[in-house]
């Protein structure tokens, strides 16, 4: 049973517009959430994270929103750039755990 | 440069022929893990190690072995590879609980 779900396998966006990638989770023990970005032929790289005590975390063009009551988080990229085209993985972790649970990923394509 | 390295990057082998994929990190990280990435399934953890001589199973450990004799190295061993182990493999490391993981560049394995 998937504890972290990314229901959109792919997303296509025009350059300059907003990209919104969504992630849902079922485990109420998760208290730390991360987004990783993966380019072809490379390993995933950490992008941004959020603790369950917050509802928003921002880093430049990237903002992650957390809605604990809905067990939902989203990654917003504004403005989107062609270099943002990659697979984005949502991950979640329980307090005190080394082990994150990953979603299946969303492939983002940003068209020039 | 802080990094996680994996070798080989690409490997084609035949069913039953033992192989080892090496993983090394130069960040003195305590925690290391192995993942496999398959289309539509995202990243699934195979094994992890919390320190030297301490290893444990992840979500999909069947058919794999690991060892952690030194802090920096965490090889993945396939004693008798089968075609269903054809996949993209990632090694990752992190200093401790609460820190994000650093991923290696990946090893693409094809078992014929």
């Amino acid at each position: 049973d998937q504890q972290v779900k990314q229901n959109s396998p792919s997303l296509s966006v025009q350059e300059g517009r907003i990209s919104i990638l969504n992630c849902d989770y079922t485990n109420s023990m998760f208290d730390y959430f991360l987004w990783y970005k993966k380019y072809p032929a490379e390993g995933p790289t950490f992008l941004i994270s959020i603790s369950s005590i917050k509802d928003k975390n921002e880093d430049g063009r990237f903002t992650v929103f957390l809605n604990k009551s809905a067990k939902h988080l989203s990654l917003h990229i504004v403005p989107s750039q062609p270099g943002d085209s990659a697979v984005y993985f949502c991950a979640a972790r329980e307090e005190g755990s080394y082990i994150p649970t990953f979603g299946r990923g969303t492939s983002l394509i940003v068209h020039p | 440069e802080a990094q996680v390295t994996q070798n080989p990057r690409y490997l084609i082998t035949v069913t039953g022929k033992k192989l080892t994929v090496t993983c090394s990190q130069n960040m003195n990280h305590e925690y290391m893990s192995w993942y496999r990435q398959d289309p539509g399934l995202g990243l699934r953890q195979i094994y992890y190690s919390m320190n030297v001589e301490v290893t444990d199973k992840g979500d999909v450990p069947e058919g794999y072995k690991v060892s952690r004799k030194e802090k920096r190295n965490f090889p993945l061993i396939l004693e008798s590879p089968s075609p269903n182990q054809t996949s993209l493999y990632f090694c990752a490391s992190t200093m401790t609980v609460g820190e994000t993981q650093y991923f290696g560049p990946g090893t693409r394995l094809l078992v014929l």
Side-chain angles (χ1 to χ4, degrees), chain B residues 2-86:
Chain B
Q3 60 182 347
V4 178
T5 56
Q6 296 178 226
N7 282 292
R9 293 289 314 275
Y10 303 91
L11 180 59
I12 301 174
T13 189
V14 295
T15 299
K17 186 176 181 182
K18 181 179 178 180
L19 66 92
T20 299
V21 183
T22 64
C23 173
S24 183
Q25 49 93 4
N26 63 0
M27 296 168 279
N28 201 37
H29 284 172
E30 291 183 349
Y31 175 78
M32 298 183 74
S33 60
W34 276 101
Y35 293 86
R36 60 179 287 173
Q37 183 190 1
D38 301 291
L41 296 178
L43 287 162
R44 295 181 294 166
Q45 192 176 56
I46 303 170
Y47 267 94
Y48 64 95
S49 168
M50 298 180 75
N51 215 322
V52 175
E53 302 291 2
V54 181
T55 63
D56 208 345
K57 296 177 181 179
D59 297 323
V60 288
E62 293 77 20
Y64 303 95
K65 284 176 56 177
V66 292
S67 70
R68 188 90 181 274
K69 293 183 170 57
E70 307 165 277
K71 201 170 187 179
R72 63 182 292 129
N73 296 322
F74 190 44
L76 179 69
I77 303 154
L78 285 72
E79 294 270 4
S80 183
S82 61
N84 65 11
Q85 292 178 298
T86 292

Side-chain angles (χ1 to χ4, degrees), chain A residues 6 34-36 38 87-91 102-105, chain B residues 37 42-43:
Chain A
Q6 294 178 256
L34 310 96
W35 285 93
Y36 282 83
K38 184 186 175 305
V87 176
Y88 290 78
F89 290 101
C90 173
F102 284 85
R104 295 182 175 181
Chain B
Q37 183 190 1
L43 287 162

Side-chain angles (χ1 to χ4, degrees), chain B residues 89-110:
Chain B
Y89 292 87
F90 292 101
C91 180
S93 73
T94 186
M95 174 57 78
T96 187
V97 171
E99 297 289 323
T100 56
Q101 294 188 89
Y102 292 83
F103 282 84
T107 295
R108 188 167 290 280
L109 173 65
L110 172 60

